[in-house]
């Protein structure tokens, strides 16, 4: 969705605060958005919240196993 896409743009610019905000808005609309879950997981990893990151990325991979190639 649009919010997940915007989050990816912010993530690529290393604006982690805005990326997290966009990913969270996306997840309010669709809690099963694998891109938003993985993106928020990446933000959490950047913020050294590794346990949260692992849970979010794990959930994203359950929903969309083909994300594994993208995350590698």
């Amino acid at each position: 969705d649009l919010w997940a896409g915007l989050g990816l743009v912010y993530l690529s610019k290393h604006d982690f605060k805005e990326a997290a905000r966009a990913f969270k808005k996306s997840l309010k609309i669709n809690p099963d958005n694998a891109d938003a879950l993985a993106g928020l997981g990446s933000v959490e990893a950047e913020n050294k919240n590794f346990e949260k990151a692992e849970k979010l990325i794990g959930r994203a991979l359950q929903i969309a196993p083909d994300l594994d190639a993208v995350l590698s």
Side-chain angles (χ1 to χ4, degrees), residues 14-42:
H14 301 279
D15 187 343
F16 303 118
K17 182 178 178 181
E18 290 302 318
R21 187 179 319 200
F23 291 133
K24 287 176 182 178
K25 285 185 179 187
S26 175
L27 291 169
K28 281 187 179 184
I29 295 166
N30 178 6
D32 292 330
N33 185 318
D35 291 328
L37 287 164
L40 188 55
S42 295

Side-chain angles (χ1 to χ4, degrees), residues 4-71:
L6 185 59
L8 291 171
V9 171
Y10 283 127
L11 188 61
S12 72
K13 296 180 177 287
H14 301 279
D15 187 343
F16 303 118
K17 182 178 178 181
E18 290 302 318
R21 187 179 319 200
F23 291 133
K24 287 176 182 178
K25 285 185 179 187
S26 175
L27 291 169
K28 281 187 179 184
I29 295 166
N30 178 6
D32 292 330
N33 185 318
D35 291 328
L37 287 164
L40 188 55
S42 295
V43 170
E44 293 295 349
E46 288 291 335
N47 290 327
K48 310 254 187 283
N49 297 323
F50 299 117
E51 194 171 314
K52 276 187 180 178
E54 184 178 4
K55 286 180 183 178
L56 287 162
I57 292 171
R59 181 152 156 62
L61 289 172
Q62 285 179 332
I63 294 166
D66 55 324
L67 276 179
D68 190 34
V70 176
L71 294 172

